[in-house]
Amino acid sequence: METVWLNGKFLPAAEATVPVLDRGFIFGDGVYEVVPVFGSHILRFEEHLRRLGQSLAAIYMQSPHSDTEWGAIIDGLLERNPCGRDRSVYLHVTRGVAPREHVIRAPLTPTVFGMCTPIPERNYDTGLSVITHADIRWQYCDIKAISLLPGVLLRERARRADGSTEAVLLRDGVVTEGAASNVFVVSAGAVRTPAKSNHLLPGVTRDLVVELLRGADMSCSEGPISEAELRTADEIWITSSTMGIAPVTRLDGKPVGDGRPGRIWQTADRVYQEYKLKVSANTAPGPGLNRSAR
Ligand SMILES: Cc1ncc(COP(=O)(O)O)c(C=O)c1O
């Protein structure tokens, strides 16, 4: 049975319970991270923990654990859940249990939860279908908040529209990101992704893709992508820790480019897959995973 981490203990998922007055349950008052593990290698461990720290600071919380402690929690979850080669570790921190009132009365003891799930093998031969949608979310999208109802509704709208996988979001006429991914477009050979702002999550995969493209001497700029640019793009990609770089071949039911995963996506994905192989080959299996290999 699946083993999870809750407030200092590893225990079977069925035995892990949280009080109903937890502010995470009542208000969605908390933040989370999803850390991908390929083979034995935790990809971009420091970057994920840094973003967790930033999300916590943005909601007036301190990290309940040091990086070493988080590393031990991740290692423990991986050891206890041998559920496939590639896995993701979900870390979730809420403000804790308190009488139900909006104001935060410190000090509270945070609730810390972690679980491990397999990352399914992806086949992007035919690419993904996505819809566009108004960005209906709030102004703090750079915080990885657990209150995900807008994201849930957006992905559900995509599914109900035409079985699409993702909603690409438009705010004031420009692309922000996907409901749970970052967006790249390719026009006339040039790759572009929206610059970081409070309107999008600073994706760890996004940053890695920008770094890898530049390292491979491929042009990649960060800046506004208009709706017109999105609709006429030769290629669209969406990125996340669990999807990697996914080619989009249909946008609102119409083909993107020639309707097949693009040539530049193929190069970008090859560079990304090679990078993952290189870092996981440098990592010894077992406890004390080598997290800093680049
Ligand atoms: C809203 C949003 N944007 C972007 C991403 C991609 O971020 P990362 O590459 O760090 O997984 C996610 C991941 O779940 C997300 O929820």
Side-chain angles (χ1 to χ4, degrees):
M1 184 198 275
E2 187 186 353
T3 298
V4 302
W5 168 267
L6 183 64
N7 296 333
K9 287 195 200 96
F10 291 106
L11 71 173
E15 289 169 24
T17 56
V18 177
V20 288
L21 284 180
D22 192 286
R23 288 179 62 104
F25 182 62
I26 296 286
F27 292 122
D29 183 358
V31 297
Y32 74 107
E33 259 308 315
V34 177
V35 186
V37 183
F38 296 104
S40 305
H41 184 77
I42 306 174
L43 193 65
R44 301 257 137 163
F45 173 76
E46 290 90 353
E47 288 79 355
H48 281 281
L49 286 194
R50 192 177 312 130
R51 187 173 64 186
L52 179 59
Q54 285 164 354
S55 295
L56 284 164
I59 66 162
Y60 314 112
M61 286 184 75
Q62 285 176 352
S63 183
H65 294 297
S66 66
D67 285 9
T68 310
E69 289 166 348
W70 283 122
I73 294 169
I74 294 173
D75 287 348
L77 285 168
L78 292 170
E79 278 159 44
R80 288 168 176 80
N81 294 282
C83 54
R85 185 185 177 277
D86 298 336
R87 292 165 285 172
S88 67
V89 174
Y90 175 89
L91 301 172
H92 173 120
V93 183
T94 78
R95 205 179 301 278
V97 180
R100 188 196 175 281
E101 54 178 344
H102 289 64
V103 71
I104 303 162
R105 299 211 188 270
L108 297 178
T109 306
T111 298
V112 182
F113 171 65
M115 64 180 170
C116 178
T117 42
I119 298 180
E121 272 207 25
R122 309 278 180 189
N123 180 333
Y124 292 139
D125 287 355
T126 55
L128 303 182
S129 178
V130 308
I131 62 163
T132 54
H133 199 286
D135 194 340
I136 54 168
R137 306 169 306 161
W138 66 341
Q139 299 280 347
Y140 298 107
C141 294
D142 49 337
I143 304 173
K144 203 161 168 63
I146 60 169
S147 37
L148 284 176
L149 187 56
V152 168
L153 294 181
L154 287 163
R155 282 238 165 147
E156 184 58 17
R157 291 231 166 135
R159 191 182 70 80
R160 286 172 186 241
D162 58 0
S164 281
T165 307
E166 179 61 302
V168 168
L169 307 176
L170 293 158
R171 191 189 286 261
D172 300 329
V174 294
V175 174
T176 53
E177 60 178 336
S181 59
N182 291 108
V183 177
F184 288 73
V185 300
V186 183
S187 301
V191 186
R192 193 166 181 77
T193 192
K196 289 184 199 172
S197 77
N198 58 313
H199 293 313
L200 58 138
L201 189 78
V204 173
T205 318
R206 169 207 181 277
D207 287 355
L208 175 57
V209 171
V210 170
E211 185 184 309
L212 291 176
L213 291 176
R214 289 180 180 161
D217 284 335
M218 293 163 74
S219 96
C220 179
S221 63
E222 298 170 72
I225 298 169
S226 68
E227 180 171 355
E229 196 180 338
L230 177 75
R231 295 201 184 280
T232 54
D234 301 321
E235 298 184 26
I236 301 173
W237 317 333
I238 55 177
T239 63
S240 81
S241 293
T242 53
M243 286 193 301
I245 315 174
V248 172
T249 47
R250 292 189 83 73
L251 180 75
D252 291 331
K254 299 199 180 83
V256 175
D258 66 3
R260 288 178 298 181
R263 194 177 45 79
I264 299 190
W265 171 77
Q266 280 166 11
T267 309
D269 190 53
R270 182 175 43 73
V271 171
Y272 171 73
Q273 300 299 345
E274 283 170 3
Y275 172 82
K276 280 198 319 187
L277 276 179
K278 187 184 85 187
V279 291
S280 48
N282 290 339
T283 306
L289 302 160
N290 178 0
R291 305 176 183 96
S292 53
R294 282 287 187 274

